[in-house]
Amino acid sequence: EPEVTQTPSHQVTQMGQEVILRCVPISNHLYFYWYRQILGQKVEFLVSFYNNEISEKSEIFDDQFSVERPDGSNFTLKIRSTKLEDSAMYFCATTGRDTDTQYFGPGTRLTVL
Amino acid sequence: AQSVAQPEDQVNVAEGNPLTVKCTYSVSGNPYLFWYVQYPNRGLQFLLKYITGDNLVKGSYGFEAEFNKSQTSFHLKKPSALVSDSALYFCAVRPKGTNDYKLSFGAGTTVTVRA
């Protein structure tokens, strides 16, 4: 069964550094999402991406965040200058033509020191 | 704005007993409802969804959920729980018939099934 994959599984970085989280969607999927889960809190929507542009973003997704699909396969989330409060598990999700069901990757645990 | 409430942080049941994980939702209009399960160090795995039609939805691993519009609930059930069902369960909602595809999640319910 096809799966969404994410790399790295765990990233440790210093405050102020840039990080790039990568996601490989299920083949032929068209809609892409990033969510995050701060330890002990709800899974929160960050951004959705379709047809090479952002469809919707939450208030969390400020100018420090960006997304792109640089090579037509990977879908990346960049945080330009990480803060302590960015420490969380980041999940990528994708959907195909059935836009109802989002399939999630295993997540990247980001730790900002 | 949509939201989900999972009133129980933890549910503990004995293996072989019925398992219920509660979920209530709030959304403008009609909902799309989902259940996901998260095992330790794993991502969110899709279990089942309610889109339209029969209020009783069957999903993976013997789970089912019942949509109740009057009570705005979508409780997850399994008639006979297994130790391997021990995990974190999330209910999620989004509005039907819009271009708003983002999911709103509940806080999650930790299920522990004891042997």
Side-chain angles (χ1 to χ4, degrees):
Chain A
E1 184 177 329
E3 291 183 339
V4 178
T5 59
Q6 290 184 242
T7 55
S9 56
H10 191 188
Q11 173 100 39
V12 180
T13 190
Q14 296 292 323
M15 189 170 56
Q17 295 296 305
E18 175 183 285
V19 294
I20 298 176
L21 310 183
R22 291 182 170 80
C23 168
V24 178
I26 294 173
S27 178
N28 297 325
H29 275 200
L30 304 172
Y31 297 81
F32 313 109
Y33 310 82
W34 284 101
Y35 292 82
R36 78 172 185 190
Q37 184 182 30
I38 294 172
L39 188 63
Q41 298 186 22
K42 292 185 180 184
V43 176
E44 303 172 289
F45 167 79
L46 290 178
V47 65
S48 59
F49 189 85
Y50 170 69
N51 203 24
N52 286 321
E53 61 183 29
I54 290 174
S55 307
E56 186 176 1
K57 59 183 180 179
S58 72
E59 57 189 25
I60 302 169
F61 194 88
D62 61 22
D63 292 344
Q64 293 300 311
F65 292 87
S66 63
V67 290
E68 63 176 358
R69 201 168 177 225
D71 55 11
S73 59
N74 290 307
F75 176 52
T76 63
L77 174 69
K78 181 192 291 186
I79 309 176
R80 289 190 182 83
S81 178
T82 50
K83 308 186 203 56
L84 295 176
E85 54 265 37
D86 294 328
S87 295
M89 181 73 90
Y90 288 81
F91 293 106
C92 171
T94 73
T95 64
R97 293 190 184 280
D98 163 18
T99 55
D100 300 331
T101 306
Q102 295 181 24
Y103 294 93
F104 284 75
T108 293
R109 181 168 298 284
L110 176 65
T111 302
V112 182
L113 302 176
Chain B
Q2 58 258 29
S3 65
V4 172
Q6 293 180 241
E8 299 159 318
D9 292 335
Q10 293 196 7
V11 170
N12 298 305
V13 297
E15 189 172 36
N17 282 0
L19 169 65
T20 298
V21 186
K22 295 179 180 176
C23 169
T24 58
Y25 67 89
S26 172
V27 70
S28 297
N30 293 315
Y32 286 165
L33 292 156
F34 304 84
W35 276 101
Y36 286 85
V37 60
Q38 185 179 30
Y39 297 100
N41 301 315
R42 301 286 297 276
L44 299 169
Q45 294 181 34
F46 169 73
L47 270 182
L48 50 78
K49 65 183 178 185
Y50 171 79
I51 301 299
T52 189
D54 195 346
N55 289 342
L56 184 64
V57 178
K58 294 189 183 298
S60 307
Y61 313 120
F63 283 94
E64 59 189 29
E66 186 164 14
F67 170 60
N68 187 317
K69 187 171 184 177
S70 62
Q71 296 185 4
T72 61
S73 67
F74 189 56
H75 302 329
L76 180 70
K77 300 181 181 182
K78 186 169 183 178
S80 178
L82 301 172
V83 172
S84 57
D85 293 328
S86 298
L88 182 56
Y89 291 79
F90 291 98
C91 182
V93 68
R94 75 168 179 88
K96 183 186 292 187
T98 72
N99 291 326
D100 182 357
Y101 296 144
K102 67 179 181 292
L103 295 176
S104 295
F105 284 86
T109 299
T110 299
V111 170
T112 302
V113 182
R114 60 187 184 277

